[in-house]
Amino acid sequence: MPTRRSLLALSTLATSGLTATHARPAQAASAKELRYRLIEDPESLYSGQSVSLTVNTCLNFLHDRLVYIDAEGKPQPWLAESWSFSEDSRQITFKLRPGTKFHDGTDLDAAAVKFHFDTILDPKAASPVRGQIAALDSCDVLDLLTVRLSFSRPFAAAMILLASPTYGVNSPTAVQKAGRQYGRRPVGTGPFMFKSWSAGSEIVLVRNPRYRQLRPDAVNKGAPFADQITLSVLPEEGVAFSALQTGELSAAELQTDTVDRLRQDPRFAVVIDDKAKNLVFMEFSFRPPFDDRALRDAVSHAIDREAILRASYSGYGRINLNPLSSGIPGYDAAIGTQYGTPYDPEKAKALLAAAGWQPAAGGLRAKDGKPAKFAIRSYANPATDRALAVIQSNLAAVGIEVSVSTADWGTFYPSLLREGWDMTLNRWTYSDPLVMTNLFRPPGHRRNLPADEELTRLLTAVDSTLDPAERQKVVSESQKALLERRLILPILTSDQVTITQAGLQNYKFDYLNQILHGDVRMSDW
């Protein structure tokens, strides 16, 4: 799923705006209100119709899933009480728990699950998550509470995908009633229910009084402790930092250069998740001249990952030479060491010269009369902006000039299907090696990679090999293949750093970096 930090802050007892530019009318606040900060307005709250991390962050309040992933990375029952695999591992049959209700009072049954997956499979719906679960062929109802998913091949990542908020089931009645407006009126089964959405300002959710938490790892088995959740769209970092200091926020995932200013203050605690599953990376358009491996090699050696880690994340994380996050099972550091491209600007210059890119006027290189001037696209984010500044400087040092443009995710990501860019800086968060398949199995997620029979075979095996030992081998081979072809320029994996007020309790992340929102409370509640 795409990379953006959208869950950045949590606040309580806020009765007015955080700044004059985000003022809200005075109102009686709920005695048990939690306020989260969103860095951007989500494009929709229709599960199955977005791969945005911002959207998934919001959906986690609204939807439970068929399964969850425990601390050991193993699937466990949630809305499904059990499941079984066919002998050829191409079908999974789920038995649903009886009595689960959507927020509108209708039943979550096998027909509702089928409706959700049929929508993802429907070409007319153009679901962006279809590519994630490309091996899915059909969803069939066997009886009232039994549903079967059929795949074209054994699909190793099925369970971990089904645990994502993307696959939370929507109320068919609500979808059909709201039509195209459903993304602004979502109805799920989770701990909180949708109340209102003021575009560009805030989303308000309220407690689901009938909620029962079926996960044994949860503290609270009943309705949530909080009466209300307000998701405030506050892009400005300074606003969140100030609100945390004044107590209007009870937790915040802020830019890491502010963390050290608060971690010695006894009013706060710092939680660091060093097993985060994100990867910051660059890609190439593969249009000339980036169809030349030598140019991709040179650019790859020109990038100072340590400088980006310091500038963007204040050192909270680790450089990564692999095309897979270090927090994902299957990550093989030895592959990155052997086949990666560590920072070596002198080597980058030599590679450029050998490829015909010679020094020209003003220190800029040129080949066949064409100057080394290229365009990088990325998504708007403070950490991204800092990384891009380092990248611009690194490439200028070897004779390459790059222009940079950024936009919100909903604008940036679709733009990569069109021409006008040479390189892109991206950040993807995922929990399974399948991310390599989704991004880079030819023709790739941006449909720009050349045909490659061997790479296609390897990346298909990543999602179809069920034996753990055999899958580890093919995952390692795939990392090697991606690096050898320079399809990706891996940069770093950042830690997840959260500052909480001392009174906040049960604020913790599960294996998929999701919060059990029904558990979170303040100590005086």
Side-chain angles (χ1 to χ4, degrees):
M1 47 198 71
T3 168
R4 271 126 6 258
R5 288 296 204 207
S6 56
L7 178 59
L8 294 176
L10 180 76
S11 73
T12 60
L13 309 179
T15 60
S16 63
L18 298 179
T19 66
T21 58
H22 288 91
R24 302 185 332 166
Q27 59 183 340
S30 165
K32 297 181 179 180
E33 180 187 12
L34 301 176
R35 186 175 300 277
Y36 285 77
R37 176 195 173 203
L38 298 176
I39 199 170
E40 61 186 358
D41 211 21
E43 64 267 30
S44 170
L45 294 180
Y46 192 167
S47 69
Q49 298 301 311
S50 176
V51 293
S52 161
L53 189 59
T54 299
V55 174
N56 271 356
T57 294
C58 300
L59 293 178
N60 192 44
F61 293 94
L62 298 167
H63 294 281
D64 291 344
R65 275 77 79 191
L66 295 177
V67 299
Y68 74 95
I69 306 298
D70 68 16
E72 304 301 318
K74 299 177 181 178
Q76 300 293 346
W78 197 354
L79 294 181
E81 63 182 12
S82 64
W83 59 86
S84 61
F85 289 86
S86 62
E87 288 188 10
D88 63 2
S89 298
R90 295 188 179 190
Q91 294 180 330
I92 312 175
T93 300
F94 291 95
K95 187 70 174 179
L96 305 177
R97 297 182 191 270
T100 302
K101 298 284 187 180
F102 288 108
H103 299 151
D104 60 5
T106 59
D107 293 324
L108 185 145
D109 54 17
V113 175
K114 175 177 171 57
F115 182 88
H116 181 68
F117 285 101
D118 282 354
T119 301
I120 292 175
L121 292 171
D122 183 1
K124 294 180 181 178
S127 170
V129 308
R130 180 70 180 99
Q132 288 185 350
I133 198 163
L136 180 65
D137 279 343
S138 64
C139 181
D140 299 295
V141 172
L142 302 187
D143 62 38
L144 182 64
L145 294 175
T146 308
V147 64
R148 182 178 62 208
L149 299 180
S150 298
F151 298 85
S152 60
R153 59 182 181 274
F155 189 56
M159 301 304 279
I160 205 164
L161 283 178
L162 295 177
S164 163
T166 296
Y167 298 91
V169 180
N170 302 286
S171 161
T173 299
V175 172
Q176 292 164 345
K177 180 179 180 181
R180 296 191 178 196
Q181 296 302 311
Y182 177 78
R184 298 269 165 173
R185 305 172 189 172
V187 176
T189 61
F192 291 93
M193 305 183 295
F194 178 83
K195 180 180 180 181
S196 64
W197 187 347
S198 299
S201 178
E202 66 180 24
I203 298 169
V204 178
L205 312 174
V206 294
R207 182 176 182 261
N208 178 2
R210 297 178 298 187
Y211 185 71
R212 52 174 183 158
Q213 176 57 268
L214 302 171
R215 286 177 57 160
D217 60 340
V219 172
N220 178 20
K221 307 301 182 185
F225 290 126
D227 293 328
Q228 179 168 303
I229 300 288
T230 301
L231 306 175
S232 296
V233 182
L234 300 171
E236 296 87 350
E237 187 70 11
V239 173
F241 180 73
S242 297
L244 184 68
Q245 288 184 302
T246 60
E248 291 179 86
L249 301 180
S250 57
E253 188 181 334
L254 300 170
Q255 293 298 312
T256 49
D257 58 358
T258 65
V259 171
D260 289 338
R261 298 164 61 185
L262 295 177
R263 65 182 309 164
Q264 304 304 321
D265 191 324
R267 296 176 299 164
F268 306 104
V270 178
V271 179
I272 298 177
D273 179 6
D274 61 2
K275 296 181 176 59
K277 298 171 177 63
N278 62 78
L279 181 67
V280 177
F281 60 96
M282 292 179 67
E283 294 176 80
F284 305 97
S285 67
F286 275 82
R287 288 183 291 272
F290 284 93
D291 56 344
D292 182 359
R293 160 70 185 273
L295 178 56
R296 303 197 301 274
D297 280 349
V299 170
S300 298
H301 280 292
I303 303 304
D304 187 347
R305 295 170 175 83
E306 289 283 4
I308 295 174
L309 182 61
R310 290 193 303 270
S312 295
Y313 300 100
S314 301
Y316 287 96
R318 62 216 57 83
I319 66 169
N320 195 343
L321 299 177
N322 286 61
L324 192 66
S325 168
S326 55
I328 296 179
Y331 170 81
D332 189 341
I335 296 293
T337 299
Q338 184 173 357
Y339 299 98
T341 53
Y343 178 51
D344 189 340
E346 295 307 314
K347 184 172 183 177
K349 293 176 184 178
L351 287 167
L352 286 167
W357 293 92
Q358 301 298 331
L364 192 65
R365 291 180 181 268
K367 180 178 181 180
D368 300 328
K370 295 182 179 179
K373 292 184 177 182
F374 306 117
I376 298 180
R377 285 184 184 170
S378 191
Y379 59 97
N381 179 283
T384 302
D385 292 342
R386 297 174 189 179
L388 289 168
V390 174
I391 291 167
Q392 276 185 305
S393 177
N394 289 161
L395 293 178
V398 300
I400 297 174
E401 179 183 317
V402 291
S403 61
V404 169
S405 62
T406 62
D408 63 273
W409 181 263
T411 302
F412 154 70
Y413 192 61
S415 78
L416 299 184
L417 290 173
R418 302 187 294 272
E419 295 187 5
W421 61 277
D422 301 295
M423 293 174 278
T424 176
L425 179 67
N426 213 328
R427 186 172 183 275
W428 214 267
T429 300
Y430 212 78
S431 300
D432 187 88
L434 177 67
V435 66
M436 295 188 296
T437 304
N438 289 344
L439 293 176
F440 299 113
R441 181 167 54 194
H445 68 130
R446 299 295 80 193
R447 311 197 68 78
N448 65 332
L449 300 182
D452 187 324
E453 184 175 340
E454 174 62 12
L455 182 63
T456 298
R457 182 191 67 79
L458 283 171
L459 292 177
T460 299
V462 166
D463 70 25
S464 59
T465 303
L466 302 184
D467 178 82
E470 289 300 314
R471 193 175 194 228
Q472 174 64 68
K473 285 174 56 178
V474 76
V475 168
S476 290
E477 290 173 4
S478 295
Q479 291 172 70
K480 174 185 173 184
L482 291 174
L483 291 179
E484 286 182 323
R485 290 160 172 79
R486 298 288 178 260
L487 300 192
I488 178 175
L489 198 175
I491 296 177
L492 61 87
T493 294
S494 63
D495 294 338
Q496 187 163 336
V497 183
T498 305
I499 303 173
T500 72
Q501 300 284 350
L504 188 67
Q505 298 180 342
N506 306 326
Y507 185 86
K508 57 185 179 180
F509 295 88
D510 67 8
Y511 182 85
L512 294 181
N513 301 107
Q514 300 289 343
I515 297 173
L516 292 176
H517 291 296
D519 285 357
V520 182
R521 65 184 302 171
M522 298 301 295
S523 59
D524 57 350
W525 289 1

